[in-house]
Each structure stands twice: as C-alpha cells, then as structure tokens.
Amino acid sequence: MSHPFDEAIALAPCGDGVFEGRTHAGYGNMVGPFGGITASTLLHAAWLHPQRQGEPLALTVNFAGPVVDGPFRVGARALRTNRSTQHWQLELLQNDAPAASASAVFGLRRDTWGDTEIVPPPADPGTPVPVKGLSPRVAWPQRYEMHFVKGGWPDFAQPQEEPADSHSELWIRDQPPRPLDHLALAAICDAFYPRIFRRRQRFTPAGTVTLSTYFHAGAAALAAQGTRAVLGRARAQHFGGGYFDQTAEIWGDDRRLLAVSHQMVYFKD
Amino acid sequence: MSHPFDEAIALAPCGDGVFEGRTHAGYGNMVGPFGGITASTLLHAAWLHPQRQGEPLALTVNFAGPVVDGPFRVGARALRTNRSTQHWQLELLQNDAPAASASAVFGLRRDTWGDTEIVPPPADPGTPVPVKGLSPRVAWPQRYEMHFVKGGWPDFAQPQEEPADSHSELWIRDQPPRPLDHLALAAICDAFYPRIFRRRQRFTPAGTVTLSTYFHAGAAALAAQGTRAVLGRARAQHFGGGYFDQTAEIWGDDRRLLAVSHQMVYFKD
C-alpha cells in the first residue's frame, strides 16, 4: 500500500519536463491543498527529472494564487548546471494559469568542516495536542502526528490570554510514519500553523505568500532519522502592514539541524 | 550627478519586459559584481515594469552562474496579479544563458495590528573599521560606509583567534549617502561578508547560492529613514557539507525592523 504522502506528491511524466498530478483530499486545507504538500510536489518534479543531479539544498515556493481541487501540471526546467550546484525553475499550472512557482537548488554535499551555531530546544518528549475546531475539509493536520512541547494549536472556541510571543515547539512525523527524506522534510517545514493564530489566539485569515527552505542534512542523515519524530520550532519575527514572517527549524532526535525555513504570510485582521 | 548605486542598477527598457543593463566597476566583487547589486538590479526590473503594482514584499535571487563584467539582459514577467499581491519571475541573461534568476512578490501594505518579536542590537554608535587585504577589484565595500559594533571585517594577514560565533553588527549606509528605498535595502541585506570569514578568521572561497529578503517596511518608512545609517546584524545558523546559511536583520535608527534576509552559501575549505 502506498503512503498518502506519496500519493499526494505523485507526478506522471509527460515528457519535456512536464508532469501531471492531482490534489489529494487527505492534504486538504481551508482553500485548496496544504502549502507544504504543494512545496513537496514542486520539489518532486525536479527530483524526478532525468537531468537532475545531486540532492536538494534549497527550495523557494511562491504561492501565486489558489490551487483548486483537481488535476494540475508541473513544469520543471534546469536553468543551469554547475560543478557543485544545479538550479531549477518550477511552475504549477491549472488551466494554463500559474498557481505556484518555485526555484530549487540541487547539489553535491562534500565532507567539510562544520558547526551549528543555534541551539535546539530542550528535547522534552511533548504531549499529543488534539487539533480542535477546524473545518472538516482541513484534513492535513491529521496526516501528521504532532506532540507539542510549547505553543499547541489554539482552540479558538476557548481562547487563552495572548502570549508574549508566537513560539511553538513540537515533535512531528508523518501519520502513518514514513521514512524521512527531503520531500517529506519540505512539507514538515510548512506544518506550523500560522504564527498569528498563536500570538493573537483568534482565527485570522492568513496564507503563505512565499516560502524558502534550506536543507542542512543530506540523504544519508535523513535516512538515519528513519520514521522517528523530528523536533520543530517556529516563531514570527515581525507582524505589520498585513504581512508577517515566520521562521522554522527542524532538528533530528540526535539534535542535528536538518533544515531551516522562512516564509512571508499575508493576513487580514 | 547620478549616484553610483543608481548607475549600477540602471536598466534600459527594450519592450516586452526585457531590459538591458551593464555591470558597474564600482560594485565589482572577487568574480563579477557584488551579489547585492545583482539582487537590486533584478528587483529594479520588476519595479520599472509598466504592469507593476504595489511595492516589494519579498525577493528571492538564485545565483545560477558567474555574472561576467559587461552587458546583460533582464527579463521580467508578471506571473499573476491578485488583489493584494503580484508575483514576478525575473531572469538575468548573458549571451542568452541565465546567470541569475529571481522571484519577487509585490503588494499593497494596509494598516493592521503589528508587533516585532525580535529585539534589535543595542544601538551603540560603532566605529569605522577599515577593510584591508581585499583584491583591488573587490570595489563594492567602498560603496558602503560601515561602522562595525561587533564582528568587523577580518584581516586575513593578522587573523584573530576563532570566535565562538559568526555574529556581526554594524551601522551601514550607501557611500556617498543616498535616501533609503527598497532597491538600496535589497543590496544592503547582502552587504555582510561571508560568515565563514568571521567564524574561521581565514579566507575561504564562498559564494551565495540563493538569497531571500522579506521587506517589513513600506516606502514611507524607508523614506523617513532618509540617508541615515541603518543597523544590521548577521549570523550563520549552520555550516556543513560545503554549505552554510546566513541570516540578516536590518533595523532603522528608530529601532524599527526594516527587512530580514536569509541565504545559502557555498564554501570550499
């Protein structure tokens, strides 16, 4: 049996860098699919392309317009291939109109000196926090096992006092468990609910405008993580003018930094 | 007399979203131009495009290959225009080959609730730190007045002990002074020397692979900053496998967050 994540990002090659896919009800969001699954699907097109060299280093996805439930096409074009890096341009089209675009950098990792300057959250085990009060079509949170250490999903029916910050920390993995790879990691980087929900403890219409993820771990390190939960941390830096940013870190259970991610989000208050 | 920054990002429209430009010796780097001036030039193409709506919210630039000294063409295409945001695809070509690509989001800022969760560095005045030992063709640092509070440009001829982190803080403005706008700010976000120079106190070949900047201030706030220096802070989060990331914050002298920026950098040790 295939995993729902692999079903959701499945792409059928049509030749010439064009692929066909279809949205998956299991990863539905308020409007269209969960942004993380769209990000993974775009990355997947570059991954599947016969010209692809190396593994993902960076991904930027621009959410240009709503993705509607149903079929879509993804175009992947290798802009340039260098000795260490390869640059991709990606586009998701519905009815020939771009709903999302992306750029990806693939490359070869070499053994070099290394250091991590930021520090992971204390590795408390975390407690399962059920997600309440979502519209039935918001299915994607059920595709993840989420154990929050801090900043769990707010219950808008019983709002808490506004916290001083928008931080969340949680243990997260695919549900059902699936071995970690760059495709799953790209989606997990976007699996933090909008920081304004946490900061203001009220429902606020919000949508990611652009999302960039930097992969710090190679395929072997992700394979070693296997199906065990990773530790995520997210917070906003600034809200104002109808937009906020949100940064995330994903740590392995061996306290190794796997990825960092940054996004700009539209909100309406 | 025009400012060297405006000369460097100057673009002549050729119609159909294509512009012609030329590298500027005043912003030369080790190989080709300073990445920040390439980023601003790409943003400038969207800015100049007759279909452009609103002001910059986000910019991602992918440095696909070396930009060589001489002429180039920039193509700008509005992918999609929504009520609040407009998505752009940009490409810098030399001899018909892409040397850099970019995506930009423009949009309208509205009066909303706001908050800044991160805290600016203490606003010490900083002391001018001369940049020594650079190759004569590395001209771009002379286009900025830089007063370092912490983590000044290392002198590779007289290396210091390796510091515990890669942090730098500095007051920075264009030299000669120029009123701040999103174009100048986009370049300033990339004006932090590679963090591995700081962390290891030795010259290490390094080049930005991809750079994303989120603009938190609107045109009016930038105009209010005028020609006064802004306070920048930069640090790496992780080094390893031949790559490191680097984040930056740019604060106004009224302690308002103007922009945040993130990049993935290739290095060779």
Side-chain angles (χ1 to χ4, degrees):
Chain A
M1 257 185 54
S2 67
H3 192 283
F5 180 82
D6 294 293
E7 292 171 10
I9 66 165
L11 291 171
C14 311
D16 212 22
V18 176
F19 299 83
E20 283 179 355
R22 170 174 281 276
T23 61
H24 189 293
Y27 287 86
N29 202 357
M30 199 77 73
V31 177
F34 163 49
I37 209 78
T38 301
S40 295
T41 303
L42 285 156
L43 185 62
H44 197 201
W47 179 260
L48 291 174
H49 197 289
Q51 286 169 23
R52 187 258 310 167
Q53 288 184 15
E55 49 182 58
L57 297 174
L59 172 70
T60 292
V61 180
N62 296 290
F63 297 91
V67 178
V68 299
D69 290 333
F72 54 77
R73 291 164 80 89
V74 177
R77 180 166 67 100
L79 273 189
R80 188 149 177 163
T81 301
N82 303 310
R83 247 185 321 184
S84 333
T85 55
Q86 186 178 51
H87 286 261
W88 288 89
Q89 188 59 42
L90 304 151
E91 208 164 84
L92 187 150
L93 302 158
Q94 283 188 317
N95 300 318
D96 296 325
S101 70
S103 53
V105 188
F106 280 65
L108 304 174
R109 288 184 167 82
R110 294 166 295 108
D111 276 340
T112 62
W113 171 83
D115 189 37
T116 303
E117 292 198 5
I118 55 174
V119 176
D124 292 335
T127 48
V129 175
V131 178
K132 291 180 190 166
L134 293 181
S135 147
R137 68 153 288 143
V138 180
W140 73 265
Q142 313 305 328
R143 296 287 83 68
Y144 291 98
E145 184 185 284
M146 299 186 187
H147 287 203
F148 279 89
V149 179
K150 183 182 174 184
W153 213 295
D155 182 353
F156 296 126
Q158 298 192 313
Q160 306 292 305
E161 203 178 325
E162 283 190 17
D165 65 46
S166 65
H167 294 212
S168 284
E169 295 168 13
L170 82 165
W171 290 97
I172 183 170
R173 60 175 173 170
D174 287 300
Q175 180 58 274
R178 176 186 178 280
L180 190 63
D181 57 17
H182 289 104
L183 298 165
L185 186 55
I188 287 173
C189 281
D190 193 38
F192 302 88
Y193 63 84
R195 296 297 89 197
I196 200 161
F197 289 9
R198 163 90 181 136
R199 182 64 183 75
R200 306 208 77 194
Q201 293 286 318
R202 67 175 79 157
F203 177 72
T204 308
T208 303
V209 173
T210 181
L211 164 70
S212 289
T213 298
Y214 300 156
F215 300 100
H216 283 307
L222 299 185
Q225 175 68 30
T227 60
R228 301 186 310 282
V230 294
L231 182 58
R233 170 158 59 186
R235 59 177 174 177
Q237 298 189 108
H238 176 82
F239 304 85
Y243 302 90
F244 64 90
D245 66 348
Q246 179 165 328
T247 74
E249 304 155 11
I250 306 291
W251 299 86
D253 60 358
D254 58 357
R255 300 173 72 75
R256 177 189 180 124
L257 184 61
L258 304 180
V260 295
S261 185
H262 313 279
Q263 58 180 275
M264 191 72 149
V265 185
Y266 164 87
F267 76 96
K268 193 160 182 253
D269 72 352
Chain B
M1 256 184 58
S2 68
H3 193 283
F5 180 83
D6 295 293
E7 292 171 10
I9 66 165
L11 291 171
C14 311
D16 211 23
V18 176
F19 299 83
E20 283 179 354
R22 169 174 283 276
T23 60
H24 188 292
Y27 287 86
N29 202 356
M30 198 78 71
V31 178
F34 163 48
I37 209 77
T38 301
S40 294
T41 303
L42 284 157
L43 185 64
H44 198 201
W47 179 260
L48 291 173
H49 197 288
Q51 285 168 25
R52 189 260 307 170
Q53 289 184 16
E55 51 181 57
L57 298 174
L59 172 69
T60 292
V61 180
N62 296 291
F63 297 91
V67 177
V68 298
D69 289 334
F72 55 77
R73 290 164 81 89
V74 177
R77 178 167 68 101
L79 274 189
R80 189 149 177 163
T81 301
N82 303 309
R83 248 185 320 183
S84 334
T85 56
Q86 185 178 51
H87 287 260
W88 289 88
Q89 188 60 42
L90 304 151
E91 209 165 81
L92 188 150
L93 301 159
Q94 283 188 317
N95 300 318
D96 295 327
S101 70
S103 54
V105 188
F106 280 66
L108 305 174
R109 289 184 166 82
R110 294 167 295 108
D111 277 340
T112 62
W113 171 84
D115 188 37
T116 302
E117 292 199 3
I118 56 173
V119 175
D124 291 335
T127 48
V129 175
V131 178
K132 290 181 191 166
L134 293 180
S135 147
R137 67 154 289 142
V138 180
W140 74 265
Q142 313 304 329
R143 298 285 82 69
Y144 291 98
E145 184 185 285
M146 300 186 186
H147 287 203
F148 280 89
V149 179
K150 183 181 174 183
W153 213 295
D155 182 353
F156 297 127
Q158 298 193 312
Q160 305 294 304
E161 203 178 328
E162 284 190 17
D165 64 46
S166 64
H167 294 211
S168 283
E169 295 168 11
L170 82 165
W171 290 98
I172 183 169
R173 60 175 173 170
D174 287 299
Q175 179 59 272
R178 176 186 177 281
L180 190 63
D181 57 17
H182 289 104
L183 297 165
L185 185 55
I188 287 173
C189 282
D190 193 38
F192 302 89
Y193 62 84
R195 295 298 90 198
I196 200 161
F197 290 8
R198 164 91 182 134
R199 182 65 182 74
R200 304 208 78 193
Q201 293 287 318
R202 65 174 82 154
F203 177 73
T204 308
T208 303
V209 173
T210 181
L211 164 70
S212 288
T213 298
Y214 301 155
F215 299 101
H216 283 308
L222 299 185
Q225 175 69 29
T227 61
R228 300 185 310 281
V230 295
L231 182 57
R233 172 158 56 186
R235 58 176 175 178
Q237 299 189 107
H238 176 82
F239 304 86
Y243 301 91
F244 64 91
D245 66 349
Q246 180 165 326
T247 74
E249 304 156 12
I250 306 291
W251 299 85
D253 61 357
D254 58 356
R255 298 174 71 76
R256 176 187 181 127
L257 184 62
L258 304 179
V260 294
S261 185
H262 312 281
Q263 59 180 276
M264 190 74 148
V265 186
Y266 164 87
F267 76 95
K268 192 159 182 254
D269 72 351

